[in-house]
């Protein structure tokens, strides 16, 4: 084995000296694109369509060489895979063959790249955006040092783009023409715009959707064609939008909804249990069920279906009915069939559903890793009753418990042992609709849920305190779009109470008024709004997720007190015998995942938040403040070991868990993710950020945010990581190296940490950090 390894290393070293060893005669090793020159971009690609055309043309010309960095056509690192190929292609040993199969990559040849074919593709792409007279020329440029290697250079001449002159909609039926002109202001293509085939496809789909939402059941986008006349006026195109010549006659028929039949089958159908059907008639609705009593009330069903007899067929209503029936979460499966009634203009709607099991019991025993850098075994037991009031409601009881310990080292000193346990109970009642008195019925058309919840949680932080948190809330979620969700919490009341403390904790808070006040027993009456955009489940190449949240606490309560004579900003007001918190809090988080190829991604995150206390609260509750560091944050630092600002406690090991929090937070992360082999992935990352105080605190000097010290107070780290994807979960190990700490470390210069001595941290976690 030792000889085999020495042989493999020797052949690999020799192969690295000649990357063209297996390049055939008459061919060359492709080493990337030397240049893509757009000769007239400044004059002919000034608008957004022109810029998009250039980007798409560049993408059509791209081809990654061996050793490409992040899939780039121009950035090339060490072609390690090619070295393995050259060194082990003729290997006869088992180890050599295994390494060849796993690590070797074939040489990328100029003949395989076929630059002229890429030039032709780019030419057609530019025509798609109106550059009908463009030209793309490819030139193979051999290397001066090694004629067996070559780069490719492309010269792109865009030419003058074509624009729309006049756009007319012809040969539609009178009714269809009226519909098109009723939505005239929503046209996607207009006279004067640059020719854009992508926009024309969008216009085709828009017209089809418009007609299908107004009774044209058989209409399809493919029934619309575009005729262009570019002769009348050079550089401009007269466009005629009209039906295709072979469009079927029935595509012009307007259809209405006829009879509606709803079948609700039991989840035990097919097992020999109760097969007899009972039928109820509700006006134009036939309701067929297979139970002793009606399993789902007709009212909630029709509120979710929202399709009525006699109305025009609507594609959007059909899809909305599918979404809302799915959202009821009580059906194992369902089908919506529209059946044309012969000799009429009616479509009979037949809905067949099958109920899911009435009870859902889950038990989870796992290792949990939290954003506060705590890890340990946890369990959760949930029991849910579906369709509890026969309207799609779900009643769910969840019991949870966990034991945790801190996993990583501090920047200074040895690992801090901060063990904890936590137990909790959560009871929720969920409705598959908006459940609010006097609500306008038009809002019921959107997919939405309502949840009422009661919870209690007891937390023990070993060596510090035991704390209980209890409360309840009402939550409304409205999905206004497939990618957009609005969450409104008009009422949330939480009560924080310290059950016991240690002498260590008492000594700390005795000397720190901010901590003492943030840990007081208090009510937190709050309301919250959250906006979420998430296209991660769509077909977009790049994924985006945006979350924005605004929380107001104690303000409605203070207005109520003001109505009875107590000023809005008066302090020391009590609710049920205890003080209540008053603050405004806002957070935002942006996540972006860029796909390079199937094996490489760049993930980024930016998050910011601020909380301002006033009136009845001088300090924000501890549970609402911001902290930074740990396995999902700054991975070169441990949890709560940074901030606020440049503040650093005198006794780090005693204070770190308690007072390195702030009322403002900024954080940014960049991570390059790549596949190593099979299900094993790697990552390179950079994290930066800190927390600050919006108000000066003399007991935490340097914690307040100021413009002149802001840059120096941004903590910075880098690191590497490994992830193993098990399918159902991802195991993650990160090694972070601190580069810059915002406090005085005794070292001069920006890089004030010794990474191998006092600036590293290990993190084991489950799932991706963002």
């Amino acid at each position: 084995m030792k000889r085999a390894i020495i042989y493999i290393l020797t052949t690999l070293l020799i192969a690295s000296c000649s990357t063209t060893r297996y390049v055939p005669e008459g061919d060359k090793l492709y080493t990337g694109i030397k240049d893509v020159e757009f000769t007239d971009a400044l004059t002919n690609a000034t608008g957004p369509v022109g810029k998009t055309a250039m980007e798409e043309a560049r993408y059509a010309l791209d081809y990654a060489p061996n050793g490409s960095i992040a899939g780039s056509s121009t950035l090339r690192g060490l072609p390690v895979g090619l070295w393995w190929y050259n060194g082990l292609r003729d290997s006869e040993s088992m180890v050599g063959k295994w390494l060849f199969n796993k690590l070797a990559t074939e040489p990328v040849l100029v003949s395989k790249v076929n630059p002229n074919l890429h030039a032709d593709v780019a030419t057609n792409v530019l025509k798609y955006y109106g550059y009908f007279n463009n030209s793309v020329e490819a030139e193979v440029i051999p290397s001066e040092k090694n004629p067996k290697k070559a780069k490719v250079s492309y010269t792109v001449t865009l030419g003058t783009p074509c624009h729309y002159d006049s756009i007319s909609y012809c040969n539609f039926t009178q009714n269809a023409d009226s519909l098109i002109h009723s939505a005239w202001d929503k046209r996607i293509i207009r006279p004067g715009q640059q020719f854009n085939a992508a926009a024309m496809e969008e216009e085709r789909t828009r017209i089809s959707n418009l007609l299908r939402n107004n009774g044209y059941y058989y209409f399809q986008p493919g029934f619309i064609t575009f005729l262009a006349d570019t002769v009348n006026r050079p550089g401009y195109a007269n466009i005629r939008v009209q039906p295709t010549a072979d469009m079927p006659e029935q595509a012009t028929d307007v259809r209405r909804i006829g009879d509606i039949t709803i079948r609700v089958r039991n989840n035990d159908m097919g097992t020999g249990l109760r097969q007899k059907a009972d039928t109820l008639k509700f006006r134009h609705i036939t309701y067929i069920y297979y139970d002793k009593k009606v399993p789902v009330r007709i009212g909630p069903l029709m509120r979710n279906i929202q399709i009525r007899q006699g109305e025009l067929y609507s594609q959007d209503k059909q899809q909305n009915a599918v979404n809302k029936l799915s959202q009821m979460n009580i059906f194992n499966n369902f089908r919506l069939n529209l059946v044309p009634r012969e000799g009429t203009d009616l479509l009979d709607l037949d809905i067949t559903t099958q109920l899911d099991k009435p009870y859902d019991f889950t038990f989870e025993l796992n290792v949990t890793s939290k954003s506060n850098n705590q890890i340990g075994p946890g369990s959760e037991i949930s029991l849910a009753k579906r369709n509890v009031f026969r309207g799609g409601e779900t009643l769910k009881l969840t019991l949870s418990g966990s034991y945790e310990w801190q996993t990583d080292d501090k920047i200074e000193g040895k690992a801090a042992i901060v063990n904890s346990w936590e137990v909790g109970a959560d009871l929720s009642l969920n409705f598959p609709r908006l459940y609010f008195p006097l609500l306008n019925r038009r809002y019921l058309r959107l997919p939405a849920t309502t949840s009422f919840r009661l919870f209690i949680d007891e937390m023990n932080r070993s060596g510090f305190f035991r704390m209980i948190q209890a409360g309840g809330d009402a939550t409304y979620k409205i999905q206004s779009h497939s990618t957009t969700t609005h969450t409104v919490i008009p009422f949330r009341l939480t009560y924080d109470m310290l059950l016991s403390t240690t002498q260590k904790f008492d000594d700390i808070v005795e000397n720190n008024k901010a901590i003492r006040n943030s840990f007081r027993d208090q009510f937190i009456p709050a309301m919250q709004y959250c906006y979420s955009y998430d296209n991660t489940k769509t077909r977009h190449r790049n994924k985006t997720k945006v979350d924005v949240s605004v929380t107001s606490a104690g303000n409605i309560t203070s207005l109520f007190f003001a109505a009875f004579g107590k000023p809005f900003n008066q302090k020391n007001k009590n609710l049920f015998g205890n003080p209540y918190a008053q603050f405004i809090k806002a957070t935002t988080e942006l996540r972006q995942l860029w796909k390079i190829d199937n094996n490489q991604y760049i993930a980024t995150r930016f998050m910011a938040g601020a909380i301002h206390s006033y009136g009845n609260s001088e300090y924000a509750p501890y549970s609402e403040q911001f902290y930074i560091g740990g396995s999902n944050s700054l991975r070169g630092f441990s949890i709560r070991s940074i901030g606020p600002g440049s503040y650093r406690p005198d006794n780090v090991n005693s204070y770190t868990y308690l007072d390195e929090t702030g009322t403002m937070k900024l954080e940014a992360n960049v991570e390059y993710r790549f596949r190593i082999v099979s299900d094993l992935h790697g990552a390179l990352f950079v994290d930066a950020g800190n927390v600050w105080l919006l108000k000066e605190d003399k007991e935490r000097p340097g914690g307040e945010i100021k413009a002149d010290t802001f840059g120096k107070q941004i903590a910075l780290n880098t690191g590497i990581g490994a992830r193993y994807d098990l399918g159902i979960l991802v195991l993650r190990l990160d090694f972070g190296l601190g580069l810059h700490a915002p406090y005085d470390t005794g070292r001069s210069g920006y890089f004030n940490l010794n990474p191998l001595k006092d600036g590293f941290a290990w993190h084991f976690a489950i799932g991706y950090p963002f």
Side-chain angles (χ1 to χ4, degrees):
M1 174 61 76
K2 184 175 181 181
R3 290 182 178 179
I5 294 174
I6 293 174
Y7 167 75
I8 290 169
L9 293 177
T10 302
T11 55
L12 181 61
L13 179 62
I14 296 172
S16 67
C17 298
S18 176
T19 55
T20 58
R21 181 179 178 184
Y22 290 104
V23 174
E25 287 296 327
D27 210 338
K28 290 178 171 52
L29 179 70
Y30 170 73
T31 57
I33 292 178
K34 181 177 182 180
D35 186 29
V36 177
E37 181 185 2
F38 289 86
T39 60
D40 54 351
L42 293 178
T43 57
N44 293 330
T46 56
V49 177
K51 289 180 171 55
T52 301
M54 289 173 59
E55 291 175 2
E56 293 293 330
R58 284 182 183 274
Y59 184 74
L61 298 174
D62 279 346
Y63 202 103
N66 293 104
S68 169
I69 297 177
S72 171
S73 297
T74 55
L75 299 177
R76 188 167 179 256
L78 299 176
V80 178
L82 182 57
W83 294 350
W84 286 111
Y85 182 90
N86 289 338
L88 299 174
R89 176 179 168 177
D90 299 325
S91 176
E92 297 296 331
S93 69
M94 290 183 61
V95 175
K97 289 181 178 180
W98 183 84
L99 289 173
F100 181 84
N101 292 331
K102 293 294 183 181
L103 303 176
T105 55
E106 292 184 3
V108 179
L109 304 176
V110 170
S111 61
K112 181 180 179 180
V113 175
N114 197 343
N116 290 327
L117 176 61
H118 279 267
D120 290 341
V121 173
T123 296
N124 291 328
V125 166
L126 292 173
K127 289 180 179 180
Y128 193 77
Y129 291 98
Y131 294 98
F132 298 126
N133 299 316
N134 79 85
S135 66
V136 181
E137 301 293 335
E139 181 184 2
V140 178
I141 304 175
S143 170
E144 294 180 359
K145 295 181 179 180
N146 186 348
K148 297 282 285 182
K149 296 180 180 180
K151 289 182 177 291
V152 178
S153 179
Y154 295 96
T155 302
V156 181
T157 303
L158 296 172
T160 304
C162 181
H163 290 74
Y164 299 121
D165 190 2
S166 65
I167 302 174
S168 58
Y169 296 76
C170 307
N171 300 331
F172 289 94
T173 64
Q174 183 177 355
N175 183 62
D177 188 69
S178 297
L179 288 171
I180 292 171
H181 281 81
S182 69
W184 202 243
D185 59 333
K186 296 181 180 179
R187 290 170 298 159
I188 296 174
I189 58 173
R190 305 190 180 207
Q193 294 177 343
Q194 183 171 333
F195 185 95
N196 184 352
M200 294 168 73
E201 288 297 325
E202 292 181 29
E203 178 68 0
R204 189 201 306 263
T205 301
R206 183 191 71 86
I207 295 173
S208 176
N209 290 341
L210 175 66
L211 297 180
R212 284 180 58 80
N213 285 327
N214 285 275
Y216 289 81
Y217 175 68
Y218 293 103
F219 204 90
Q220 299 293 332
F223 296 157
I224 298 175
T225 187
F226 296 89
L227 300 180
D229 178 8
T230 58
V231 176
N232 188 41
R233 185 183 176 191
Y236 286 83
N238 293 314
I239 303 296
R240 285 168 56 96
V241 186
Q242 62 184 44
T244 59
D246 58 349
M247 183 181 71
E249 185 177 350
Q250 65 180 4
T252 63
D253 293 342
V254 176
R255 299 281 177 161
R256 295 182 178 273
I257 301 299
D259 294 336
I260 299 176
T261 302
I262 303 174
R263 294 179 175 85
V264 180
R265 300 180 180 273
N266 299 332
N267 68 296
D268 55 9
M269 293 298 291
T271 63
L273 301 178
R274 186 168 175 80
Q275 299 285 331
K276 184 180 178 181
D278 289 325
T279 303
L280 294 175
K281 290 284 188 177
F282 294 88
R283 299 177 184 174
H284 58 280
I285 302 170
T286 301
Y287 186 16
I288 303 173
Y289 62 97
Y290 301 80
D291 208 337
K292 294 179 181 179
K293 62 179 181 179
V294 176
V296 185
R297 290 181 285 115
I298 189 66
L301 269 177
M302 294 309 297
R303 278 197 299 268
N304 283 281
I305 296 171
Q306 295 180 8
I307 299 176
R308 301 294 183 263
Q309 186 184 51
E311 67 183 17
L312 290 173
Y313 164 77
S314 170
Q315 172 183 259
D316 285 352
K317 279 195 172 184
Q318 180 183 356
Q319 185 58 49
N320 189 57
V322 171
N323 293 339
K324 299 204 76 171
L325 285 174
S326 176
Q327 192 178 22
M328 290 184 77
N329 198 33
I330 61 173
F331 298 116
N332 190 8
N333 60 71
F334 57 86
R335 297 191 308 274
L336 272 72
N337 292 325
L338 288 160
V339 183
R341 191 187 302 178
E342 189 175 353
T344 71
D345 65 346
L346 299 178
L347 296 169
D348 292 331
L349 175 62
D350 188 278
I351 302 174
T352 302
T353 68
Q354 183 177 24
L355 290 170
D356 207 338
K357 296 178 180 179
Y359 291 95
D360 186 20
F361 177 81
T362 59
F363 174 73
E364 296 183 6
L365 181 63
N366 49 44
V367 175
T368 61
S369 175
K370 299 185 177 180
S371 60
N372 62 2
N373 215 41
Q374 300 287 310
I375 188 170
S379 64
E380 183 175 281
I381 300 174
S382 296
L383 177 63
K385 173 66 169 69
R386 293 191 179 96
N387 202 31
V388 62
F389 301 131
R390 296 185 297 132
E393 306 85 359
T394 301
L395 182 66
K396 184 176 182 180
L397 174 64
T398 302
L399 304 176
S400 61
S402 64
Y403 181 81
E404 306 162 351
W405 60 87
Q406 189 158 315
T407 59
D408 59 359
D409 294 339
K410 294 214 163 289
I411 293 175
E412 298 180 7
K414 297 181 179 179
I417 302 176
V418 183
N419 297 334
S420 67
W421 53 261
E422 188 171 347
V423 294
D426 188 300
L427 180 66
S428 64
L429 178 60
N430 299 301
F431 296 84
R433 63 185 183 278
L434 291 182
Y435 195 83
F436 198 84
L438 305 178
L439 186 69
N440 191 315
R441 293 182 64 87
R442 70 185 180 91
Y443 292 108
L444 298 177
R445 300 172 186 171
L446 298 172
T449 60
T450 302
S451 175
F452 300 103
R453 183 173 69 110
L454 296 173
F455 63 89
I456 185 169
D457 189 84
E458 183 177 354
M459 180 191 307
N460 178 77
R461 292 291 182 248
S462 178
F464 291 96
F465 62 84
R466 282 178 59 206
M467 184 178 186
I468 194 169
Q469 188 176 72
D473 59 51
T475 302
Y476 299 88
K477 286 188 177 181
I478 304 172
Q479 188 173 351
S480 60
H481 190 268
S482 60
T483 58
T484 304
T485 302
H486 304 269
T487 302
V488 180
I489 304 178
F491 172 80
R492 182 180 69 200
L493 182 63
T494 306
Y495 181 61
D496 292 345
M497 181 175 66
L498 275 174
L499 298 178
S500 62
T501 61
T502 64
Q503 187 61 46
K504 181 194 294 186
F505 178 85
D506 293 338
D507 291 342
I508 293 173
V509 300
E510 179 66 26
N511 298 319
N512 195 306
K513 181 180 178 182
I515 298 179
R516 183 169 67 250
N517 280 273
S518 65
F519 270 97
R520 67 178 180 173
D521 295 349
Q522 61 185 320
F523 283 100
I524 308 176
M527 57 195 306
Q528 185 176 17
Y529 167 76
C530 301
Y531 167 84
S532 177
Y533 173 84
D534 186 356
N535 73 351
T536 56
K537 296 182 180 180
T538 66
R539 295 183 178 180
H540 286 76
R541 178 181 178 87
N542 300 321
K543 308 299 184 181
T544 302
K545 191 174 188 302
V546 180
D547 291 296
V548 179
S549 172
V550 178
T551 304
S552 171
N555 294 306
I556 300 298
T557 306
S558 292
L559 287 173
F560 178 80
F561 277 106
F564 288 89
K566 293 187 178 181
F568 182 83
N569 287 322
Q570 178 182 325
K571 299 183 181 298
N572 302 320
K573 295 191 289 284
N574 290 335
L575 180 65
F576 306 124
N578 286 277
Y580 65 86
Q582 187 174 0
F583 61 80
I584 187 76
K585 180 179 181 180
T587 62
T588 183
E589 181 175 7
L590 170 62
R591 301 183 183 190
Q592 184 76 38
L593 183 68
W594 280 280
K595 181 179 180 180
I596 300 172
D597 55 38
N598 290 333
N599 297 315
Q600 299 180 95
Y601 298 86
I602 294 179
T604 62
R605 174 177 64 176
F606 172 78
M607 58 188 308
I611 181 170
H612 174 62
S613 299
Y614 52 92
N616 210 46
S617 296
E618 186 176 358
Y619 300 98
Y622 182 75
S623 59
E624 297 288 343
Q625 294 186 34
F626 301 102
Y627 56 87
I628 204 166
S631 61
N632 293 337
S633 184
L634 303 188
R635 285 163 282 182
F637 306 89
S638 58
I639 187 71
R640 290 182 173 87
S641 64
I642 299 296
S646 60
Y647 171 69
R648 187 69 168 165
D650 294 333
N651 189 340
V652 175
N653 289 333
S654 296
Y655 275 76
T656 296
Y657 191 78
L658 294 176
D659 67 349
E660 293 197 61
T661 59
T663 53
M664 179 179 174
K665 178 179 181 178
L666 290 174
E667 182 179 347
N669 315 84
V670 179
E671 184 169 287
Y672 169 53
R673 299 171 181 171
F674 54 92
R675 185 187 300 274
I676 298 176
V677 59
S678 187
D679 295 326
L680 180 63
H681 302 256
L684 302 174
F685 57 82
V686 176
D687 308 314
N690 204 343
V691 295
W692 291 268
L693 301 174
L694 294 178
K695 299 177 182 178
E696 183 180 5
D697 185 353
K698 294 182 180 179
E699 294 166 342
R700 288 185 283 180
E704 186 179 5
I705 185 168
K706 295 182 179 179
D708 57 340
T709 58
F710 175 78
K712 296 179 180 179
Q713 292 179 354
I714 298 291
L716 179 68
N717 70 252
T718 187
I720 59 175
R723 294 92 168 85
Y724 191 75
D725 191 347
L726 297 176
I728 58 175
L729 55 87
V730 175
L731 302 179
R732 173 165 58 93
L733 180 65
D734 285 333
F735 177 63
L737 291 169
L739 301 176
H740 173 74
Y743 50 81
D744 183 12
T745 64
R747 293 169 61 96
S748 60
Y750 179 79
F751 299 101
N752 58 359
L753 290 170
N754 185 338
L756 299 180
K757 179 183 178 183
D758 57 3
F760 65 91
W762 291 93
H763 302 281
F764 174 74
I766 295 176
Y768 288 102
F770 51 89

